[in-house]
Amino acid sequence: MLKYKFLLIVVITGIFFNLAYSVEKKSENLNLKKLYNQAFREYKIKDYYSAIDDLYKIIKYPKSPYYAPSLFLLSKIYISIGRKTGIKTYLTAGLYFLNLYLGKKKKVGWDYYYTKGNLYEVLGFYERAMFFYKTSLFMTKDKNKYYKSLIGILRTAIWYKKLDIITQYAIKLSAKKLLQNIQDPEVRFLKGLLLFQNGKYNEAYKYLYKTYKEFESYLIDNPEFYFVVAENMYRIGKLDFAKQLFRRIVSITQNQEIIRKSMLRLGDIDIIQKDYPTAFNHYYYLANNYKKTKEATIAKLKIIGYRNIPEFNKRILRAKDEWLKEPFRFVYFILITNRNNSVGRYALADFGNFIFKYNSKLLYDKLSWELSVLEIARFNYQEREYIRKLWKKDLLNIEPKWLCLVFSSNKRFFYEIFNKEFLIKISQRVSSCNNKYKIEILKFLVDKYKDDKSKFLLGKAYFEIGEYKKSLNILNKIIKKDCKTNILISKNYIMLDKLETVKKHLPKIRKCKEKESSIILASYKLYKDDINNAYKLFYRNLDLIKEKYKNSSFYKKVLDMFANKTINFGNYNLLYQVLSKLSETYKQDCNINSWYLITKIRINKINNIDEIYKRISSCNNKWANIAKNIYQDFRLFQEVKK
């Protein structure tokens, strides 16, 4: 009997113990549930650190049903903090808790893949982000989740510059009429970002400005987006507004990298607005208070790059920083240790700026080598802008031989960095050392811009080197043919001895005010044997002929035509009137002085023919030989006559 009583006591005790444990377990879970709900509310109101404290209390209980949700919520919080502050440690923590969550759950859903895509987007791993966003897209039928995944894919594709993906998924968004939801800050920013990345800054303005005005909190939570808004204002020239936005980024956001980039831009705006003391202060503060950062080094390079500005020079002379004592050494060290990154490209700008001040083949060879190993595709907008500011003036002032050396080392660099108008100026300068480079630059401009101005300049360049058929081929493609174009086309036909073709251009040429139009008309009149009227046009434009004749095959040909016609028709007086104005200027020219000698003898103006004969004594061409024979016959006749 005692045995059964003992067993009964054991059973009853076990029942009570289990009941007590069950009650305790339920109580514990109830407390964890309250704690989790509290953390979730804190997350929603962005009280992240309080939420973290609560969640860390929950994850002490791995067997709790709130353990896995807490891991996932922790990852989302850390990603949010990392996005806002730019501190990679938080993002790494977010990845750590996401992976713990994955290990705990047998099956994960849309929220996991979307969050992981968001994490990789913030880290700048766009290809990975794209994979997770796409996976999340195919895991949901919920309209809002589908929409968020599509936005994530599109935004990542824009950062990643994948046009095919942008097009593909933008169509999906449009088909579902989701892009019409312009009140959504993500959609509005997305539209602005796409236009911004495509260089359509004025079009991007309306979307980015409204995002700032109506959804600034969205930008504060995403500082890199805020920077895009401010940068767009900078690029469309709204400098005061851009300055206001960059200052606001510095004062209210927590992302240190974005703050440093904004401070650089504040200095850049001061340079444009010629507030040089403030510009120096921005750069110098950045250089000294954010040491060992990329932006601090760039700030140092900008101070050195702008060292010739008097206000900068005064401050540099007073400074005791080591990098300012030997700036060239500092720049070269930064260049050779950072060739493949952004800092190295800023250093290259400074390096060239130093070298342009010297006349050293050794230095120009070094610069040419540095240019030859550049990967132009890596240059961003700010780097291109800086190198243009430092190089443009010097490139137009250095000796053409150095310009040709630098240009030939990396032609694509010039094509990518400089705009059309500057490349036109470069083409004019390189022609003195290598005319082939001029043609190459102008052909590039025609292929890229397909504009009438570039076509005209290429046609003119071909004309100048005697490629008349190529010149005509280009010039005839010009859509709006103005006076200069019609004149140049006619000059090509004259050089090709196709004067009959000139006739169809004459009605337009007669309306032109350019002096060369008279030369075209005179040439056509010569072709039609209207010598007197041709002479009148030539005589009226003798100053132009005198100016152009030396370096122009066209003017030499036209004068040759005039000489041939007047001599053949015996109009020596007309030819004499023209040549008497040219002979003294071109004493070494065989043709002019040969014709002049012939006309003087024929019209019996023999006062200085011996002197003119001496001018052509060493000449050996058709007209020189004819003139010599006429002169010798004339002198022989005079001797016989005595």
Side-chain angles (χ1 to χ4, degrees), residues 5 26 44 59 111 132 147 171 196 246 257 265 267 296 303 363 366 390 402-403 408 415 429 444 466 519 604 634 636:
K5 284 183 179 179
K26 284 181 181 179
K44 283 295 185 182
I59 62 173
D111 207 6
F132 284 102
Y147 162 75
I171 290 170
F196 174 83
F246 285 125
E257 182 183 354
R265 267 310 191 209
I303 288 173
L363 290 175
K366 182 61 183 170
L390 291 195
W402 301 135
L403 179 58
S408 63
Y415 297 153
R429 297 209 74 227
F444 165 78
I519 306 300
N604 202 32
F634 175 74
L636 180 62

Side-chain angles (χ1 to χ4, degrees), residues 418-463:
F418 299 106
N419 63 19
K420 181 177 75 173
E421 295 307 316
F422 188 76
L423 285 172
I424 289 171
K425 292 177 182 178
I426 291 291
S427 73
Q428 293 165 350
R429 297 209 74 227
V430 296
S431 63
S432 62
C433 55
N434 194 326
N435 217 36
K436 182 182 77 172
Y437 294 156
K438 179 179 182 178
I439 298 292
E440 286 181 19
I441 293 171
L442 294 173
K443 283 177 72 175
F444 165 78
L445 294 178
V446 169
D447 291 340
K448 181 176 181 179
Y449 296 102
K450 298 177 174 56
D451 62 309
D452 286 351
K453 181 178 181 179
S454 299
K455 291 174 187 174
F456 175 81
L457 291 171
L458 179 58
K460 185 180 178 184
Y462 276 132
F463 175 81

Side-chain angles (χ1 to χ4, degrees), residues 203-221:
E203 294 177 49
Y205 169 75
K206 65 177 180 180
Y207 297 108
L208 298 178
Y209 177 72
K210 285 185 178 179
T211 303
Y212 161 71
K213 290 298 288 183
E214 297 175 18
F215 305 106
E216 192 189 15
S217 59
Y218 172 72
L219 298 177
I220 293 170
D221 287 339

Side-chain angles (χ1 to χ4, degrees), residues 356 385-397 418-419 421-422 425-426:
F356 294 144
E385 176 187 52
Y386 183 62
I387 208 164
R388 279 195 296 268
K389 281 182 180 178
L390 291 195
W391 286 24
K392 281 181 78 170
K393 185 178 178 181
D394 288 327
L395 285 173
L396 297 179
N397 289 311
F418 299 106
N419 63 19
E421 295 307 316
F422 188 76
K425 292 177 182 178
I426 291 291

Side-chain angles (χ1 to χ4, degrees), residues 575-637:
L575 182 57
Y576 172 79
Q577 295 299 324
V578 171
L579 295 176
S580 62
K581 306 293 184 183
L582 299 176
S583 178
E584 291 305 307
T585 304
Y586 294 103
K587 291 180 179 181
Q588 305 302 316
D589 188 87
C590 290
N591 282 344
I592 285 178
N593 287 286
S594 297
W595 298 326
Y596 193 39
L597 182 59
I598 293 169
T599 57
K600 283 181 76 69
I601 292 171
R602 291 295 187 237
I603 64 175
N604 202 32
K605 290 184 179 289
I606 59 173
N607 53 317
N608 63 337
I609 59 173
D610 294 333
E611 180 191 338
I612 298 169
Y613 177 74
K614 288 178 183 178
R615 294 178 190 173
I616 66 168
S617 59
S618 60
C619 296
N620 186 24
N621 63 19
K622 169 190 165 185
W623 284 110
N625 293 331
I626 291 172
K628 287 175 185 178
N629 287 332
I630 291 173
Y631 172 81
Q632 290 164 3
D633 288 345
F634 175 74
R635 284 304 184 201
L636 180 62
F637 178 74

Side-chain angles (χ1 to χ4, degrees), residues 198-260:
N198 288 329
K200 298 178 180 179
Y201 307 120
N202 286 308
E203 294 177 49
Y205 169 75
K206 65 177 180 180
Y207 297 108
L208 298 178
Y209 177 72
K210 285 185 178 179
T211 303
Y212 161 71
K213 290 298 288 183
E214 297 175 18
F215 305 106
E216 192 189 15
S217 59
Y218 172 72
L219 298 177
I220 293 170
D221 287 339
N222 299 275
E224 69 272 32
F225 297 172
Y226 210 148
F227 185 85
V228 168
V229 175
E231 179 69 15
N232 192 79
M233 303 310 159
Y234 174 89
R235 295 186 190 184
I236 62 175
K238 293 183 178 294
L239 298 180
D240 288 332
F241 186 36
K243 184 187 288 187
Q244 173 189 329
L245 294 182
F246 285 125
R247 283 175 175 168
R248 192 153 174 76
I249 289 171
V250 170
S251 63
I252 66 172
T253 66
Q254 299 173 28
N255 188 314
Q256 292 299 305
E257 182 183 354
I258 297 300
I259 288 171
R260 295 193 300 269

